[in-house]
Amino acid sequence: QKSVAERTIVFHGSILEGKGPCVSSWPGKYESAWDVLVTGSRKGNVSAAVVFLPEGSEHFGCHDPIPEEENLEGSCWCIPVYGEQKRWGCRWWTKWMNNIEEAVRQGAELEVYFFAGMVGKGKVENFSMAGKEHLRREAIQGKLKQFLKSSEFQ
């Protein structure tokens, strides 16, 4: 079962040589379009920096240290990205950053895809605020879930 997941769902990105568009961000919600993107990239037709390391895959749950030259706090990339360590790890982030850097070296035009109607929404002030913002949103979602289960809502 793990080998099937590694062959079909896991995606480490694939940067094509030369200039051209490169998919650098993708909302995983669009599963069928994601499958088309991954298939096209695996066939060498689409340059894609995106990474997906699902549960059960080799790199799921792996944490990578932040290089000292980044001058960021935290034992791994989870801290600046999520505000705390996450069970799925941050190996995906390291692989994604490496892919982005390679795409830029190739002169690619980075493409970012959004949820429908969400362009310009959900931005954080800067990268140093990403983890704090993630924790804030998780807290709000937690309160919403509690409310939806409460007798007051029922």
Side-chain angles (χ1 to χ4, degrees):
Q1 185 179 14
K2 184 177 179 179
S3 65
V4 171
E6 287 286 338
R7 285 194 320 270
T8 58
I9 299 173
V10 173
F11 188 64
H12 298 272
S14 178
I15 309 303
L16 300 179
E17 259 187 63
K19 297 181 180 190
C22 177
V23 178
S24 61
S25 185
W26 186 269
K29 171 181 168 180
Y30 301 119
E31 187 176 341
S32 60
W34 167 262
D35 292 342
V36 171
L37 168 69
V38 170
T39 299
S41 186
R42 287 180 174 158
K43 289 180 178 178
N45 300 324
V46 178
S47 187
V50 291
V51 173
F52 184 58
L53 308 174
E55 191 165 2
S57 64
E58 178 184 357
H59 296 285
F60 181 87
C62 294
H63 299 271
D64 288 333
I66 302 168
E68 284 185 33
E69 62 270 14
E70 296 291 343
N71 293 318
L72 295 169
E73 290 185 26
S75 58
C76 69
W77 284 109
C78 285
I79 306 307
V81 174
Y82 302 115
E84 61 187 2
Q85 266 199 356
K86 295 295 186 177
R87 69 180 191 83
W88 54 82
C90 53
R91 175 70 45 88
W92 74 270
W93 177 267
T94 304
K95 289 179 170 292
W96 177 75
M97 285 186 12
N98 290 338
N99 289 346
I100 293 295
E101 289 170 358
E102 177 59 27
V104 169
R105 276 192 294 278
Q106 292 290 335
E109 178 184 346
L110 302 179
E111 294 181 340
V112 176
Y113 292 83
F114 296 87
F115 291 122
M118 298 304 289
V119 173
K121 298 178 181 174
K123 292 182 181 180
V124 294
E125 192 175 313
N126 56 52
F127 184 72
S128 68
M129 297 298 296
K132 290 177 186 171
E133 180 63 16
H134 182 80
L135 290 174
R136 185 184 78 78
R137 291 178 188 195
E138 275 189 340
I140 291 169
Q141 289 299 317
K143 288 178 182 178
L144 175 62
K145 285 179 185 177
Q146 280 183 316
F147 174 72
L148 294 174
K149 292 178 182 177
S150 72
S151 59
E152 291 88 357
F153 181 74
Q154 304 299 325

